[in-house]
């Protein structure tokens, strides 16, 4: 009979997992993954109606969900939201910092306010939510796990040659915010280890989301595996970092990019 103990290490039954930006493409996948692993999912985003829609979809599949509107750039909103989770559910075991935005205006025309807004949401929101989560996790004997969603563009520059038919070009603001997230991950992994809190980053490559044919072709030709990722291909990597399967992993940036950064 096969030893099933390794499977148990992926089990999140009885645990509470909060996912920011849960109404987006990856956020919905992440929330469902953690819920299917047994977690009670706190589905957060800026608008309560979108959180509730995600919650209903999860509960339709027998996943416990708590919809919660949080503005990750507002310290008071973050503080009250996390306090509500602790009061209602009694704990917080997993935080996935997934909320993020990008800008697409040409660099030469970009106003400074736009640059700062990306940093405020992506890096600032990750800071505020991590700080709020630590206030809960540091008092738990089991600590907790924090996963920050980075990007390949936090590691390498975007390749302008792939954006021939796409207005949604990457930006230095987005890249700077994701690089900051990856570096904060390393810092927090070191400084929060005393609380048994593990902190890692998950950095996706390009995920298919109905982009133009030229873009998909260009991106795929630049990737060793020859295609863009499907959103569901990040699920198992996320679960690994959110569970006890990664009990000796902290301060790492797990790239799920089809080999993009390998050459």
């Amino acid at each position: 009979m096969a030893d099933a103990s390794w499977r148990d290490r992926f089990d999140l039954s009885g645990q509470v997992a909060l996912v920011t930006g849960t109404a987006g493409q990856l956020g919905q996948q992440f929330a469902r993954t953690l819920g299917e692993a047994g977690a009670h999912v706190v589905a957060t985003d800026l608008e309560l109606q979108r959180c509730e829609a995600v919650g209903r979809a999860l509960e339709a599949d027998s996943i416990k969900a708590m919809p919660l509107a949080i503005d990750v750039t507002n310290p008071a909103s973050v503080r009250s939201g996390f306090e509500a989770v602790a009061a209602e559910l009694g704990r917080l075991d997993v935080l996935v910092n997934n909320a993020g935005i990008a800008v697409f205006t040409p660099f030469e025309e970009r106003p400074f306010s736009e640059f700062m807004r990306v940093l405020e949401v992506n890096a600032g929101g990750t800071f505020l939510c991590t700080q709020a989560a630590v206030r809960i996790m540091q008092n738990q004997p089991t600590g907790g796990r924090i996963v920050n969603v980075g990007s390949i563009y936090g590691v390498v520059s975007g390749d302008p040659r792939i954006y021939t038919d796409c207005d949604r070009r990457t930006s230095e603001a987005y890249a700077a915010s994701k690089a900051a997230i990856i570096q904060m991950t390393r810092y927090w992994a070191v400084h929060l280890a005393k609380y048994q809190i593990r902190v890692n980053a998950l950095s996706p490559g390009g995920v298919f989301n109905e982009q133009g044919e030229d873009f998909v072709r260009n991106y795929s030709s630049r990737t060793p595996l020859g295609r863009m990722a499907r959103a569901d291909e990040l699920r198992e990597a996320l679960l690994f970092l959110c569970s006890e399967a990664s009990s000796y992993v902290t301060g790492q940036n797990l790239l799920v990019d089809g080999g993009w950064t390998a050459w």
Side-chain angles (χ1 to χ4, degrees):
M1 181 176 175
D3 183 1
S5 61
W6 67 268
R7 295 183 179 87
D8 297 337
R9 294 173 66 78
F10 289 91
D11 185 16
L12 300 180
S13 296
Q15 300 186 36
V16 176
L18 188 152
V19 181
T20 68
T22 195
Q25 182 192 26
L26 294 183
Q28 293 183 53
Q29 289 282 346
F30 292 162
R32 180 165 296 279
T33 297
L34 300 179
E36 289 175 352
H40 191 141
V41 177
V42 182
T44 74
D45 213 296
L46 190 58
E47 299 176 3
L48 181 58
Q49 287 184 335
R50 300 185 73 189
C51 300
E52 290 173 338
V54 172
R56 287 192 297 271
L58 295 174
E59 289 176 342
D61 292 325
S62 302
I63 295 172
K64 294 180 180 178
M66 175 184 174
L68 181 66
I70 291 180
D71 178 353
V72 298
T73 68
N74 184 316
S77 176
V78 172
R79 188 182 310 111
S80 62
F82 278 73
E83 287 174 353
V85 172
E88 183 166 336
L89 302 180
R91 60 187 301 114
L92 179 63
D93 302 280
V94 175
L95 166 65
V96 179
N97 281 310
N98 172 67
I101 63 171
V103 291
F104 309 109
T105 53
F107 167 70
E108 296 82 357
E109 302 170 14
R110 182 170 301 118
F112 183 62
S113 59
E114 200 172 69
F115 176 86
M116 292 304 296
R117 179 59 178 168
V118 175
L119 293 179
E120 180 184 33
V121 174
N122 297 2
T126 296
F127 166 83
L128 288 173
C129 290
T130 297
Q131 193 175 60
V134 170
R135 293 191 181 107
I136 301 171
M137 293 177 176
Q138 67 183 354
N139 298 314
Q140 299 175 165
T142 53
R145 283 86 63 202
I146 298 172
V147 177
N148 301 319
V149 178
S151 168
I152 56 171
Y153 288 158
V155 178
V156 297
S157 176
D159 185 343
R161 295 171 296 182
I162 69 175
Y163 294 93
T164 56
D165 69 340
C166 181
D167 292 330
R168 293 172 61 87
R169 290 171 170 79
T170 187
S171 70
E172 82 297 326
Y174 182 81
S177 71
K178 293 301 184 177
I181 286 170
I182 293 167
Q183 186 56 33
M184 288 191 295
T185 295
R186 298 185 180 109
Y187 180 93
W188 290 328
V190 172
H191 290 270
L192 300 178
K194 62 186 177 183
Y195 301 125
Q196 299 302 307
I197 297 173
R198 293 189 291 103
V199 189
N200 292 288
L202 175 64
S203 287
V207 179
F208 180 72
N209 191 20
E210 305 301 329
Q211 293 94 341
E213 291 183 10
D214 281 355
F215 176 85
V216 173
R217 185 185 311 109
N218 293 339
Y219 190 97
S220 299
S221 69
R222 175 69 175 76
T223 308
L225 288 186
R227 60 180 177 83
M228 300 188 73
R230 302 187 309 271
D232 66 283
E233 291 182 297
L234 299 166
R235 289 165 51 102
E236 289 78 8
L238 177 81
L239 181 57
F240 169 70
L241 294 176
C242 290
S243 70
E244 283 303 299
S246 59
S247 59
Y248 200 57
V249 179
T250 196
Q252 303 304 305
N253 179 33
L254 178 55
L255 287 148
V256 183
D257 66 355
W260 178 279
T261 56
W263 58 8

